[in-house]
Amino acid sequence: ALERAAEPASAAPWDIRDVTAHRVTLNLPRLAYRSRGTGDFFGQLAVTFELAARAHSQKAGFLHKLMALESLGPLGLLAARRDGRPTVDVNQAKYVVGVCGLFECARAATGLRLAESEQSVAFAVEVLSRIAGLCAEWGERLGLQLVPAQTVDPRVARRFAAIDLEAWRPQTSRALDGSDNEDATYTPGVRVRGGRGLSPIERVRLEGRFQCFLDGDAAAVVQMPDTETSPKSVADFIRKAYHQTGVRRILIEAIL
């Protein structure tokens, strides 16, 4: 499906939008289960990424055929032209390579939790750096705007975990800290599952190190007690996060 980002208030209805044409999400934990060491992991990542990139290329070709039909095709409204330009220009569209389960991936690959180990954090940073590099490499090769982003749809995280529990139960259960029931799920995108004593600012600081490799939709989720958190403390937290971390966006959830 074509996803449209929010456009500036001053944009005319017919102006070209920021469009995401397609999304393919990488199941990072499974790559760790299948690999035999770090070197093998990055080799498998490169192979899997090529499959994702070629899936994007096929989708792009399909969309171009539909748009070429203009008003006669199912995307006629999007293909409608004004001032010689289509409402949506698929040549400018983004093709997203999403990531899911970075937390469990790092745990499976290093045996250590992201919130408690710099070694695990360094591995996660290298994973995202490689993905960003592959986006640039394959985007240039295929003539597509490939962008890395986090996939936070809980249905994707649950589905990946459920499938892996069928095929890789011991590894998946360890990565999930022993959770292997039907409600098991991976941590969405590059978010960090809470560790012992991990404060909100520490969480944001850690996730900010990962978000710098991703497209602008990345966001960290912070929970704060509604009855114990004053407006001033929220403002101080946001100010500190802005000046001391690399986080792109923060979603604050009130705990009632």
Side-chain angles (χ1 to χ4, degrees):
L2 293 172
E3 301 174 13
R4 190 181 75 186
E7 65 269 13
S10 59
W14 53 86
D15 285 346
I16 297 176
R17 273 71 166 180
D18 180 12
V19 174
T20 295
H22 197 214
R23 177 185 291 263
V24 177
T25 298
L26 304 178
N27 183 346
L28 295 181
R30 185 183 301 180
L31 294 178
Y33 307 151
R34 290 165 43 185
S35 62
R36 298 180 300 277
T38 302
D40 186 43
F41 174 90
F42 288 113
Q44 294 210 38
L45 175 62
V47 171
T48 303
F49 190 96
E50 180 179 352
L51 291 176
R54 296 199 181 280
H56 279 312
S57 182
Q58 290 183 4
K59 182 61 173 285
F62 178 65
L63 287 175
H64 278 288
K65 290 180 180 178
L66 293 181
M67 296 292 279
L69 296 174
E70 298 188 341
S71 61
L72 299 178
L75 301 182
L77 181 62
L78 302 181
R81 291 180 173 272
R82 185 181 180 89
D83 299 330
R85 300 181 303 173
T87 302
V88 172
D89 187 353
V90 292
N91 291 308
Q92 303 298 321
K94 294 179 181 178
Y95 292 81
V96 170
V97 179
V99 296
C100 181
L102 180 70
F103 183 92
E104 289 76 21
C105 172
R107 176 76 192 279
T110 68
L112 303 167
R113 295 178 180 85
L114 272 176
E116 301 170 4
S117 164
E118 184 59 34
Q119 177 186 343
S120 186
V121 171
F123 173 80
V125 167
E126 180 64 18
V127 170
L128 296 174
S129 176
R130 295 284 185 102
I131 290 174
L134 288 166
C135 279
E137 175 187 338
W138 278 98
E140 182 177 358
R141 187 180 302 186
L142 299 174
L144 299 175
Q145 188 181 175
L146 297 182
V147 296
Q150 65 174 355
T151 295
V152 296
D153 187 335
R155 296 170 298 180
V156 175
R158 284 196 301 268
R159 178 172 173 76
F160 280 171
I163 292 173
D164 288 347
L165 279 169
E166 289 292 326
W168 305 89
R169 179 167 290 273
Q171 298 94 322
T172 306
S173 182
R174 284 195 297 271
L176 292 169
D177 289 329
S179 176
D180 58 3
N181 55 44
E182 62 182 15
D183 296 325
T185 182
Y186 288 145
T187 308
V190 300
R191 292 178 183 167
V192 177
R193 189 171 293 180
R196 294 178 181 176
L198 190 66
S199 68
I201 192 62
E202 289 172 333
R203 175 187 298 279
V204 169
R205 186 176 288 118
L206 181 55
E207 292 189 21
R209 295 177 64 177
F210 306 143
Q211 288 186 14
C212 65
F213 295 99
L214 304 176
D215 197 41
D217 66 346
V221 177
V222 175
Q223 295 183 330
M224 294 186 177
D226 184 52
T227 57
E228 302 173 15
T229 306
S230 67
K232 181 180 183 302
S233 62
V234 173
D236 289 342
F237 170 76
I238 293 174
R239 186 180 299 109
K240 185 183 294 186
Y242 179 82
H243 290 291
Q244 298 181 11
T245 79
V247 73
R248 298 262 181 100
R249 289 195 301 160
I250 300 174
L251 302 178
I252 297 178
E253 295 182 348
I255 304 175
L256 301 178

